Amino acid sequence: MVYRSRDLNQKISERSLDLETLRSKVIPISQVRSQDLNNLRKNKRGIPGSHPEVIVPPVEGVAGGGTAYGWGEIGTQDPYLLRGSIDPRKVNSSELVHVWCMPSSANVGPQDMPRTLEPISLLAARNERESVQIAIRPKVSWAGSSIAGTMQMQCTDLCSTSGDRLVVGESLKVRRVVPILGVPDALVPLEVPLSQLTLFPGSTAQCLGKAERIQLYQELRSCLDVMEPFDGKPLDEVVERVNSASSSLRRVLLSPLFSDFCLDNGSVDMMDEDAISNLSIRVKISLTVWDFILPATPSVPAVIGISDTVIEDRFGVEHGSSKWYEALDQHFQWLLQYKISPFFCRWRENMRVLTYTCPWPADHPKSDEYFSDPRLAAYAVPYSPVVSCGDTSKDFLQREVEILRTKSHWRKAYFYLWDEVRTGDDKLSAQLGLAASIVACSFSGMISVPLNLEHYEAIRNMASEIHAYAPDARIMTTYYCGPSDAPLASNNFEAFLKVPEFLRPHTQIYCTSEWVIGKSVKIWRRISLQKYSLKMVRGMDVRKIVLVEFQTSFDHKRKTSCRDRIILKENGQPNNCPLLFRDRRLGSTMCTSVQQTTACYRKKEWWTYVCMGPSDPHPNWHLGMRGTQHRAVMWRVWKEGGTGFLYWGANCYEKATVPSAEIKFRRGLPPGDGVLYYPGQVFSSSQEPVASLRLERLLSGLQDIEYLKLYSSRFGREEGLHLLEKTGMYLGPERYTHEHVPIDVMRGEVYRTCQS
């Protein structure tokens, strides 16, 4: 089914125009629900939308990924610009602003040359969501020296020839990209179908900065202070107060912020299309929806942490109060639209974590509502009470597990007990690119004690307690190296491969860092040449070696032949049971029950995660990386065969006690690390969270996985991997596309070959 928009009008409402230096301005993003961006056509002259008369400002880089935005106050000049004072009602908008379209994976900055505006052609599956960017750059400035001018935008529904309609505000939404630390990232919603955009000289931000907000607040507050109840006050004093308040309000209304509303030549009715539509710039959108339906439950669970303490501090809600439950519920429901599985968390001593997806206990009706939601692919079960309830931790755990095990959604459940089982060896941490002490301070505000065999034993004991109540429970453990006081191998990488020996059989989900292998490629090649032929080493991805080693670690026959273990008999069990052994390195006897034997033979899962690393050029979600670099995080998961993905935090900015407080990233972390969305109050009066471009690209990556899975179900996984490579979309963590075209080609090929 093909939908076509009547138009997307850009309207200029100002009365007069004065020539000023041309500067790069706003980059709004128009989001179409249930769609996928495909085949944005290029200019046929070779260089898309080339304007030889425009002088491109110098490029300045930021953050990595080769991205450049050029925050300098360097302008450009167009010799063909309009001169003198002009009434915008009589001038075509194309003479006032550049407007062009870009794919959602593009990072648009002042160094980008304006392009020819062409119709947008979109292809989408059902139940899919994708975005396209509309870049706007004023050719001149008007409306005084404080702002460049104001632009009005009108959106219309997408209509098909059969009469179907995608309604503006429901299926079609418009958001404006606001810079964070100078990098376009926050997607602030705009009103539809009619919006007004104010363009500020030398800035891409639509919203007020902190200084402007403080000044406005102080002015309005002074009015209230002056107009406090004055019953019984002398008339002269009342008049004086009214005059003072009037003066303050007049200063606010006459400030540059409201200058576009203070024009003395009358106003233009935004609904009066006959008056100005013939001068508008029209952006035409065509959307083709094909018969593939994206599953409601994502094929690969992406579990993302939300710090409940950040919510408590910033929004002033007391832990366990009704407002606290409301705040957590709002964040949970909002994040589900991005096909991720949120969990709330708080860090404890030595990087222990309390994680939970539902703040209510298992016997509360909300629990079933949360866990039965088809959009939720996995949920975290708390090991101890989230809110004090009078029960001991043991009683609480037993009751939770016994209730949840009776539910059909129990297959989604997992326990996340400890964050990053790690070594305390500073040298090893430096080689792997991450200092454990820095991470601990950044995440939880505590200094991490180096994890050792004692801590591994604690993890095993906690898991044993859970498995005593639920042998089929899944325990997830994250790690990037082995314990510091029990060397497992002669080098760090082989030691990393042997960590499962310490976690077996108590861990079912082995969650490993993506940057370990990226930092250990040279080590891996040297090790692999000792085990495999040169031809195999050249032809195998490093991840395949990891999987081979994992499989070897899970080989029960190998376990029974290990000299370090002595098989014991208990309760009449056969003496060759692989779970009944004494581990001499731990100095303890580990006897398990028949139930735990069953749990050990359950299918093991391998998940991955990104955190501070890997850094450029590997895929990650740091601020300033390429758009395809953000999107490639999920491509990597699918190509390497991961069955799940973990990200430690989505709202872990610096502590603040006011919702509208300025966003500050945590010290010691790369910009954007641990932050995928922002409080809505920072940008407007809205209480709804504001997504980042990086969160939107995470969603796009998850949707790409569904395309690849569909293709693989028809032609086999090897053909799916071949499709990634032949399109040039993703070959490895250092070899992936920097352009959007290969993404279009891949998705177009799936559409061509898999449509019924």
Side-chain angles (χ1 to χ4, degrees):
M1 185 176 295
V2 178
Y3 295 85
R4 299 185 185 278
S5 66
R6 294 196 301 272
D7 53 41
L8 179 61
N9 293 334
Q10 320 278 339
K11 300 179 180 180
I12 307 299
S13 63
E14 310 315 311
R15 301 299 187 181
S16 62
L17 180 66
D18 295 321
L19 179 62
E20 288 190 2
T21 304
L22 170 64
R23 302 178 190 273
S24 177
K25 295 296 179 289
V26 186
I27 311 162
I29 181 168
S30 174
Q31 178 194 47
V32 183
R33 194 181 301 272
S34 300
Q35 62 208 312
D36 174 55
L37 180 61
N38 252 334
N39 300 325
L40 282 175
R41 294 182 295 176
K42 290 191 171 183
N43 190 304
K44 297 180 181 179
R45 291 176 291 178
I47 302 177
S50 176
H51 285 250
E53 69 276 7
V54 177
I55 304 172
V56 182
V59 171
E60 301 176 16
V62 62
T67 308
Y69 297 96
W71 343 120
E73 292 296 315
I74 299 175
T76 62
Q77 276 195 317
D78 187 337
Y80 301 101
L81 289 177
L82 298 170
R83 308 289 178 178
S85 179
I86 296 174
D87 186 349
R89 293 177 302 173
K90 301 178 181 180
V91 178
N92 196 302
S93 298
S94 61
E95 298 185 44
L96 306 178
V97 293
H98 294 290
V99 178
W100 71 99
C101 300
M102 296 290 286
S104 59
S105 61
N107 286 337
V108 185
Q111 79 284 355
D112 289 282
M113 296 180 65
R115 309 184 180 195
T116 300
L117 178 62
E118 296 186 345
I120 301 171
S121 178
L122 304 172
L123 172 68
R126 299 178 186 275
N127 197 29
E128 188 173 7
R129 182 168 110 175
E130 193 55 76
S131 304
V132 59
Q133 296 185 91
I134 302 173
I136 305 171
R137 177 179 296 169
K139 297 181 179 181
V140 291
S141 296
W142 64 96
S145 59
S146 298
I147 62 172
T150 300
M151 181 193 72
Q152 293 180 355
M153 180 180 65
Q154 178 179 348
C155 303
T156 59
D157 298 345
L158 296 178
C159 306
S160 71
T161 54
S162 61
D164 294 306
R165 181 183 297 267
L166 298 179
V167 180
V168 172
E170 298 176 7
S171 299
L172 174 64
K173 295 187 177 181
V174 181
R175 296 173 293 178
R176 181 170 183 171
V177 182
V178 174
I180 302 295
L181 291 184
V183 181
D185 191 57
L187 302 178
V188 180
L190 296 177
E191 293 183 5
V192 287
L194 298 171
S195 298
Q196 182 165 289
L197 305 176
T198 300
L199 311 184
F200 293 89
S203 172
T204 58
Q206 171 202 13
C207 304
L208 294 178
K210 184 176 181 180
E212 289 83 0
R213 293 201 310 272
I214 292 176
Q215 181 179 358
L216 180 60
Y217 172 82
Q218 291 174 342
E219 292 279 3
L220 295 177
R221 183 68 197 179
S222 68
C223 293
L224 290 178
D225 293 340
V226 169
M227 297 301 293
E228 288 295 330
F230 41 73
D231 294 341
K233 298 289 183 181
L235 180 60
D236 291 344
E237 182 177 343
V238 172
V239 172
E240 182 180 354
R241 288 191 180 194
V242 171
N243 290 336
S244 175
S246 299
S247 299
S248 297
L249 288 174
R250 187 174 294 106
R251 283 196 304 270
V252 171
L253 293 176
L254 294 178
S255 67
L257 174 65
F258 301 109
S259 61
D260 50 310
F261 302 115
C262 301
L263 302 174
D264 55 7
N265 294 335
S267 62
V268 176
D269 186 354
M270 296 179 68
M271 296 299 293
D272 187 3
E273 294 191 31
D274 294 334
I276 57 177
S277 63
N278 61 324
L279 302 177
S280 302
I281 300 174
R282 297 172 181 265
V283 181
K284 296 184 178 180
I285 300 175
S286 176
L287 168 66
T288 299
V289 180
W290 63 300
D291 54 6
F292 173 44
I293 303 176
L294 262 65
T297 305
S299 299
V300 175
V303 297
I304 311 291
I306 311 170
S307 172
D308 58 4
T309 55
V310 169
I311 295 175
E312 292 166 8
D313 293 339
R314 180 170 281 268
F315 297 99
V317 293
E318 183 181 355
H319 186 84
S321 65
S322 59
K323 294 291 185 181
W324 179 80
Y325 282 104
E326 291 176 9
L328 266 60
D329 183 63
Q330 179 196 26
H331 284 73
F332 174 82
Q333 299 295 345
W334 183 83
L335 283 167
L336 281 180
Q337 65 180 302
Y338 289 95
K339 296 187 180 294
I340 63 178
S341 298
F343 66 87
F344 299 99
C345 59
R346 59 176 57 212
W347 279 266
R348 294 177 171 178
E349 71 283 354
N350 299 330
M351 298 303 284
R352 285 184 58 181
V353 288
L354 173 64
T355 60
Y356 57 98
T357 294
C358 180
W360 287 276
D363 56 359
H364 193 281
K366 271 287 190 179
S367 174
D368 259 350
E369 177 187 326
Y370 269 48
F371 300 151
S372 298
D373 194 308
R375 297 171 295 175
L376 191 72
Y379 64 82
V381 181
Y383 176 76
S384 57
V386 175
V387 178
S388 180
C389 58
D391 291 341
T392 64
S393 295
K394 183 176 181 179
D395 292 340
F396 169 82
L397 176 63
Q398 182 176 2
R399 185 176 68 254
E400 290 287 295
V401 170
E402 288 177 350
I403 294 174
L404 294 175
R405 286 194 71 198
T406 64
K407 308 292 184 178
S408 59
H409 51 62
W410 171 248
R411 57 185 172 77
K412 301 181 184 179
Y414 67 92
F415 289 83
Y416 181 16
L417 307 173
W418 211 294
D419 184 51
E420 278 194 328
V421 180
R422 65 168 63 91
T423 178
D425 189 337
D426 292 338
K427 181 179 180 181
L428 174 59
S429 297
Q431 289 175 348
L432 293 175
L434 182 64
S437 60
I438 293 179
V439 176
C441 292
S442 300
F443 289 7
S444 59
M446 300 182 295
I447 298 178
S448 174
V449 177
L451 288 180
N452 49 36
L453 290 176
E454 179 183 353
H455 296 136
Y456 274 88
E457 183 72 0
I459 294 173
R460 301 168 91 152
N461 290 336
M462 295 166 71
S464 295
E465 183 180 359
I466 294 170
H467 285 146
Y469 305 131
D472 57 344
R474 298 187 301 168
I475 311 298
M476 179 176 69
T477 304
T478 59
Y479 64 95
Y480 63 82
C481 56
S484 58
D485 56 352
L488 302 180
S490 59
N491 60 74
N492 299 332
F493 187 62
E494 281 204 331
F496 160 76
L497 295 177
K498 295 182 181 296
V499 169
E501 294 184 13
F502 280 84
L503 300 176
R504 185 184 60 247
H506 303 85
T507 291
Q508 286 67 50
I509 302 176
Y510 295 81
C511 190
T512 63
S513 169
E514 284 283 22
W515 47 256
V516 169
I517 296 175
K519 293 289 183 181
S520 307
V521 171
K522 293 182 180 179
I523 298 175
W524 163 76
R525 288 174 177 167
R526 185 174 66 251
I527 298 169
S528 300
L529 286 173
Q530 301 172 6
K531 297 183 177 182
Y532 310 102
S533 68
L534 179 61
K535 182 178 180 180
M536 289 182 63
V537 172
R538 286 177 175 173
M540 292 180 68
D541 188 281
V542 63
R543 187 64 63 167
K544 293 183 179 179
I545 295 296
V546 175
L547 292 177
V548 169
E549 295 291 344
F550 272 31
Q551 186 60 39
T552 302
S553 177
F554 297 145
D555 185 347
H556 294 298
K557 292 182 180 180
R558 182 184 178 188
K559 287 193 293 185
T560 59
S561 64
C562 180
R563 293 182 179 181
D564 289 337
R565 291 159 185 163
I566 301 175
I567 304 301
L568 303 176
K569 291 184 180 181
E570 182 183 61
N571 298 330
Q573 296 185 42
N575 61 4
N576 63 347
C577 174
L579 293 178
L580 301 180
F581 59 83
R582 182 189 304 274
D583 194 321
R584 289 177 177 172
R585 286 170 297 186
L586 290 173
S588 61
T589 302
M590 298 187 58
C591 297
T592 61
S593 65
V594 175
Q595 288 181 328
Q596 286 178 310
T597 303
T598 303
C600 178
Y601 280 97
R602 292 180 69 245
K603 180 182 178 182
K604 305 299 186 296
E605 296 185 52
W606 173 51
W607 292 19
T608 55
Y609 68 91
V610 296
C611 184
M612 290 179 67
S615 58
D616 184 61
H618 287 218
N620 207 326
W621 291 322
H622 296 164
L623 193 69
M625 286 182 165
R626 298 182 182 90
T628 55
Q629 199 168 2
H630 296 147
R631 195 160 173 168
V633 170
M634 303 315 299
W635 301 344
R636 181 176 188 176
V637 172
W638 187 84
K639 185 177 188 295
E640 294 173 348
T643 55
F645 185 81
L646 167 73
Y647 192 61
W648 70 277
N651 69 329
C652 297
Y653 18 77
E654 285 283 9
K655 181 178 179 179
T657 56
V658 179
S660 60
E662 181 182 0
I663 293 296
K664 295 181 180 179
F665 297 127
R666 296 192 179 184
R667 293 185 297 274
L669 297 179
D673 191 61
V675 176
L676 293 177
Y677 68 94
Y678 305 98
Q681 294 88 336
V682 173
F683 307 97
S684 67
S685 59
S686 173
Q687 297 184 4
E688 182 176 285
V690 168
S692 68
L693 268 174
R694 294 166 292 126
L695 180 59
E696 202 69 39
R697 288 162 179 167
L698 187 165
L699 171 62
S700 297
L702 287 169
Q703 294 175 161
D704 292 337
I705 286 179
E706 304 301 346
Y707 272 64
L708 292 165
K709 184 181 178 184
L710 172 65
Y711 189 85
S712 298
S713 69
R714 300 284 182 92
F715 307 105
R717 178 168 170 80
E718 288 301 319
E719 285 299 315
L721 294 171
H722 181 60
L723 178 63
L724 272 183
E725 294 179 359
K726 75 177 183 180
T727 58
M729 181 171 146
Y730 186 87
L731 287 79
E734 297 181 357
R735 300 174 60 200
Y736 52 87
T737 179
H738 294 173
E739 305 296 333
H740 191 84
V741 172
I743 303 175
D744 288 340
V745 173
M746 183 278 290
R747 298 171 78 95
E749 180 67 10
V750 176
Y751 164 69
R752 185 185 66 82
T753 57
C754 297
Q755 62 176 323
S756 57

